[in-house]
Amino acid sequence: MAKFELYHPILTPHYQLNWLTQFKVKDINALRQRLNIHESMIETATYVNREMSTVMNDQALTWGISNKQQDDFIGIVNLAPGDNHFKTAVLTIIRVNEDDQDLVAEIQAYMTKFAKNQLQSSPLETKLK
């Protein structure tokens, strides 16, 4: 299996995907508080550490998303196995701007190809948050 830690940064036509550790915890926390209003900065830091651990252990991939033009944090992408061996995969996209359909379309198209070519995984189930 591929070493997941090598999959960064990933560049799409309009976005850059990089490890969560490359973004400010306060920005990640602000996004995560949409899902859990009481999440503290410490809980967000724990989340970042846990997600990076899954990457380093080749269990799942999680990236922060930035816009190439402004380099602002605009979301989180997670690619996780739908089964034990990545024969199927689940793509989760959490967006700062919930109406950003361009981001969803571009990330979903890129990750569908990525999952197939790099992980030999298909089909891809997508969850939006």
Side-chain angles (χ1 to χ4, degrees):
M1 177 174 256
K3 290 287 185 192
F4 288 1
E5 64 190 65
L6 302 176
Y7 294 128
H8 83 100
I10 290 180
L11 304 175
T12 71
H14 298 98
Y15 306 103
Q16 177 172 307
L17 282 61
N18 212 334
W19 300 143
L20 290 174
T21 53
Q22 299 301 307
F23 297 93
K24 295 176 184 171
V25 174
K26 70 176 186 135
D27 293 339
I28 298 169
N29 179 254
L31 175 60
R32 290 192 42 86
Q33 282 184 336
R34 277 199 7 244
L35 304 172
N36 180 3
I37 195 163
H38 300 293
E39 183 165 315
S40 69
M41 293 286 275
I42 292 171
E43 290 169 320
T44 298
T46 300
Y47 161 79
V48 169
N49 288 334
R50 186 176 55 246
E51 292 303 306
M52 291 308 302
S53 178
T54 64
V55 171
M56 296 305 147
N57 288 306
D58 302 322
Q59 297 170 333
L61 287 156
T62 303
W63 300 275
I65 309 167
S66 62
N67 185 307
K68 280 185 178 178
Q69 300 295 325
Q70 299 157 334
D71 203 33
D72 293 333
F73 175 76
I74 57 174
I76 297 172
V77 175
N78 175 268
L79 188 60
D83 57 28
N84 290 335
H85 303 289
F86 257 108
K87 291 179 184 173
T88 62
V90 177
L91 174 67
T92 304
I93 304 171
I94 307 169
R95 303 156 289 166
V96 169
N97 178 357
E98 294 180 45
D99 297 331
D100 196 342
Q101 293 306 314
D102 292 337
L103 178 138
V104 170
E106 189 168 316
I107 298 296
Q108 187 174 26
Y110 187 93
M111 283 294 126
T112 298
K113 291 176 188 172
F114 177 90
K116 182 178 179 181
N117 295 334
Q118 299 297 320
L119 306 174
Q120 291 70 50
S121 179
S122 61
L124 187 67
E125 174 189 348
T126 302
K127 297 179 180 180
L128 301 177
K129 296 182 179 182

